[in-house]
Amino acid sequence: MLTPVALIVALGAIYILIRLLALWLRARASGAPVPIARIVRMAMLRLNPRPVVDAFAIAATAGVDATLDDIENHAMMGGRLQRTVVACAAAKKADIELPFTMARAMDLTGRDPMEVAQDLIRAKRDGDREASAAVDENIVREMVGKQGEVSVAVAPPGLVVVNGQRVD
């Protein structure tokens, strides 16, 4: 017979296992399978696996160029997963190039990628070339390294200058 403490620990472990398995099944059903070991690893790293798996499912179904590693790293850096992935998906649907690495760099430097995507879509719809140049691709590409690593500097808006251009 189990002691009350052992029973509570066993029930807690079963509850956690069921939640992780449910998340694993949900990922497989969405067409973006995530290994169960990866979900357990995220939980052990104290990273909530649900937003990561949800963002990966959105990215996979929308055809966004983001891997599970990219999304997990963005979550570990404190990025807003949902807004970043949905911005890339919306841009892709509107036939606008907004790579995940660029959206991630924008998000981590304080710029909302969803607003940028909306501005780009609006500019494309209206045929406005000046508004579509609101995101200077070269500035964002300077923030993104060769391996997709993001260099982030915290500074008040307007104080950062890249290649002679002020970044807000």
Side-chain angles (χ1 to χ4, degrees):
M1 187 146 150
L2 293 174
T3 64
V5 173
L7 182 63
I8 291 172
V9 169
L11 288 175
I14 291 170
Y15 173 74
I16 290 171
L17 186 62
I18 288 172
R19 287 190 62 201
L20 295 177
L21 284 174
L23 188 58
W24 176 75
L25 285 172
R26 186 168 144 185
R28 289 192 59 83
S30 71
V34 176
I36 187 74
R38 192 74 177 264
I39 294 172
V40 171
R41 181 177 156 264
M42 284 184 238
M44 292 178 85
L45 290 173
R46 294 189 169 251
L47 178 66
N48 187 356
R50 181 174 301 273
V52 175
V53 170
D54 289 346
F56 182 60
I58 292 169
T61 55
V64 174
D65 64 338
T67 65
L68 183 58
D69 286 333
D70 292 335
I71 293 171
E72 189 176 345
N73 288 337
H74 189 57
M76 283 192 231
M77 288 188 265
R80 296 171 294 179
L81 291 178
Q82 192 77 14
R83 292 190 71 80
T84 305
V85 171
V86 170
C88 292
K92 184 160 185 80
K93 185 175 181 183
D95 199 29
I96 296 171
E97 184 181 343
L98 182 61
F100 183 76
T101 53
M102 187 180 294
R104 177 176 63 188
M106 284 183 228
D107 185 35
L108 294 175
T109 56
R111 193 158 188 189
D112 187 4
M114 192 66 150
E115 287 179 13
V116 171
Q118 289 171 347
D119 290 343
L120 291 172
I121 292 168
R122 194 175 304 114
K124 182 178 180 180
R125 184 190 63 217
D126 297 343
D128 185 359
R129 288 202 170 276
E130 288 179 23
S132 64
V135 178
D136 186 351
E137 217 171 284
N138 294 326
I139 291 174
V140 177
R141 287 193 194 279
E142 287 290 323
M143 293 182 225
V144 180
K146 294 177 186 173
Q147 300 295 321
E149 298 296 321
V150 179
S151 301
V152 179
V154 178
L159 287 182
V160 178
V161 177
V162 177
N163 293 339
Q165 294 183 346
R166 192 179 99 205
V167 180
D168 292 283

